[in-house]
Amino acid sequence: MKLKALRPVLYLAHQYDRGDELPVNNPDMVEAWLEAGSAEWRTEEIPTGPSAPKAVPAAALAGQPGISDRGTEGDLTGRIPETPERKKPVSRKKKTQ
């Protein structure tokens, strides 16, 4: 049996993630982890994966409307403008398809 972390644990300047095996050299800490529900004795593996979905912006772009550095009105000040030069290049695989 192994002591597996049920949630992230910081112990002796080492971060253990969910599902990692925790050290059992300190009986006081083992007892504290078990009482707090941070660890559990396991024989099988704990599945690890994304715990939360990716965030999707629900508001407008950051910046204030006004005259930008380029001198055009309607751009957002304080934001890097989206120009063709700043776009990511398309990979060659996508071009041929």
Side-chain angles (χ1 to χ4, degrees):
M1 292 185 89
K2 296 180 181 182
L3 186 64
K4 296 286 187 168
L6 297 176
R7 61 182 66 136
V9 173
L10 178 64
Y11 178 64
L12 295 177
H14 187 277
Q15 182 71 41
Y16 296 93
D17 290 326
R18 182 176 182 261
D20 289 348
E21 184 178 352
L22 294 172
V24 293
N25 58 351
N26 187 342
D28 293 332
M29 286 305 299
V30 171
E31 183 180 337
W33 290 329
L34 292 172
E35 286 179 15
S38 298
E40 187 175 60
W41 291 106
R42 290 271 178 118
T43 55
E44 72 277 353
E45 294 294 319
I46 298 174
T48 58
S51 59
K54 296 273 185 179
V56 177
L61 296 174
Q64 298 178 347
I67 298 175
S68 67
D69 294 340
R70 295 190 299 169
T72 58
E73 193 170 339
D75 288 338
L76 294 175
T77 59
R79 182 170 173 81
I80 298 173
E82 295 179 11
T83 60
E85 293 83 19
R86 294 190 54 82
K87 288 186 179 179
K88 290 184 180 179
V90 179
S91 67
R92 292 183 182 195
K93 292 180 183 177
K94 290 183 181 178
K95 283 183 182 179
T96 58
Q97 293 178 352

